[in-house]
């Protein structure tokens, strides 16, 4: 998606998007599917939340619900690309009271990675990732999320949304827009930490585990 507006037009469009997301979110009936009993068994701790890019629309709403039930009150930072599209998405996300770290999952060894490490140590925050963002390929886990878990010992919690009724757009990620007044099941996967001795330069068990937990993307 290409978004190229002047500042005033962009500000208006951001406000409209925020209103749309909030209004749509209020009509959705959410429920959790937590077969691993994450809520009962995990202590308060910063986590990495992972979900496919196609589900990003209502994730600010989902995280607010999740945090009220599961999390330990930690702030959330979202990794967003440095593209022009990323600038627009950043403004939308910040309107939900969430912070943003700008960078790419493909280049986490540089500025974005250091920023994330600093935030984790200074603010004790959760981190949200779209492993196949910002431009795909769809359903491909880029290594940044795995490196962060491995280096900092942070558990990855896979999140998958299942809408009863939704539109699927003809975009690279097959972007999902739920119907108003439909229901949504939030599937909470089993948390895991990438082992220190795992070689992430090649296809790994952790990568396959995450892909399986996040579900199909077709």
């Amino acid at each position: 998606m290409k978004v190229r507006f002047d500042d005033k037009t962009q500000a208006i469009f951001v406000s409209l998007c925020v209103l749309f997301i909030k209004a749509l979110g209020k009509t959705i009936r959410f429920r959790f599917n937590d077969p691993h009993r994450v809520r009962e068994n995990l202590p308060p701790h910063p986590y990495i939340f992972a979900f496919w890019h196609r589900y990003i629309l209502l994730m600010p709403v989902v995280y607010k619900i999740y945090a009220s039930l599961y999390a330990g009150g930690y702030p959330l930072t979202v990794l967003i690309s440095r593209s022009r599209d990323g600038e627009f998405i950043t403004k939308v996300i910040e309107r939900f009271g969430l912070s943003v770290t700008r960078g790419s999952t493909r280049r986490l060894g540089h500025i974005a990675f250091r920023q994330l490490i600093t935030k984790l140590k200074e603010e004790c925050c959760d981190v949200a990732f779209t492993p196949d963002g910002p431009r795909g390929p769809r359903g491909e886990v880029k290594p940044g999320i795995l490196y962060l878990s491995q280096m900092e010992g942070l558990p990855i919690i896979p999140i998958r949304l299942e809408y009863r009724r939704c539109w699927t757009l003809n975009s690279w990620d097959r972007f999902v827009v739920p119907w108003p007044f439909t229901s949504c099941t939030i599937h909470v996967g089993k948390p895991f930490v990438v082992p220190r001795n795992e070689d992430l330069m090649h296809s790994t068990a952790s990568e396959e585990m995450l892909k399986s937990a996040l579900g199909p993307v077709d």
Side-chain angles (χ1 to χ4, degrees):
M1 180 180 68
K2 298 292 184 183
V3 181
R4 300 183 183 277
F5 300 129
D6 59 45
D7 290 345
K8 183 176 180 180
T9 304
Q10 186 184 73
I12 294 172
F13 196 45
V14 166
S15 296
L16 290 175
C17 283
V18 171
L19 288 174
F20 170 74
I21 293 170
K22 288 182 176 180
L24 179 61
K26 288 181 179 179
T27 72
I28 306 297
R29 300 182 300 278
F30 293 100
R31 76 176 186 90
F32 283 96
N33 175 37
D34 185 6
H36 306 287
R37 304 185 70 177
V38 174
R39 182 180 181 183
E40 291 88 352
N41 296 331
L42 283 184
H45 190 288
Y47 297 104
I48 302 173
F49 295 96
F51 52 91
W52 292 134
H53 194 274
R54 66 190 311 216
Y55 296 119
I56 199 171
L57 180 65
L58 289 188
M59 275 302 175
V61 176
V62 170
Y63 183 76
K64 293 290 187 182
I65 298 172
Y66 186 97
S68 67
L69 296 175
Y70 284 72
Y74 298 110
L76 178 74
T77 186
V78 185
L79 184 69
I80 301 294
S81 75
R82 293 181 176 274
S83 65
R84 292 180 64 91
D85 293 356
E87 179 67 25
F88 174 80
I89 297 171
T90 293
K91 293 182 182 298
V92 172
I93 289 176
E94 288 177 340
R95 292 281 293 273
F96 284 90
L98 306 177
S99 69
V100 170
T101 297
R102 302 297 301 277
S104 169
T105 54
R106 195 180 295 275
R107 299 171 183 169
L108 264 185
H110 302 292
I111 298 174
F113 189 81
R114 291 195 297 271
Q115 289 177 339
L116 280 175
I117 296 299
T118 298
K119 282 196 174 185
L120 285 168
K121 291 181 177 179
E122 293 183 354
E123 302 178 18
C124 198
C125 61
D126 294 326
V127 180
F129 266 86
T130 56
D132 59 345
R135 300 185 183 278
R138 179 173 71 251
E140 178 180 300
V141 175
K142 299 192 178 91
I145 185 171
L146 304 177
Y147 277 116
L148 187 62
S149 173
Q150 185 181 63
M151 293 183 66
E152 296 300 311
L154 295 180
I156 299 174
I157 300 182
I159 301 292
R160 179 170 60 89
L161 304 187
E162 182 181 5
Y163 294 110
R164 184 177 181 187
R165 294 185 177 89
C166 64
W167 293 283
T168 301
L169 305 187
N170 188 27
S171 57
W172 72 263
D173 57 353
R174 295 186 61 78
F175 194 81
V176 172
V177 180
W179 288 20
F181 302 102
T182 193
S183 60
C184 175
T185 301
I186 304 168
H187 297 277
V188 183
K190 184 177 181 179
F192 69 95
V193 178
V194 177
R196 283 279 187 175
N197 60 352
E198 190 167 327
D199 181 5
L200 299 181
M201 295 298 292
H202 305 91
S203 180
T204 66
S206 293
E207 178 182 339
E208 294 305 316
M209 184 186 305
L210 181 56
K211 288 174 68 174
S212 176
L214 294 178
V217 290
D218 295 322

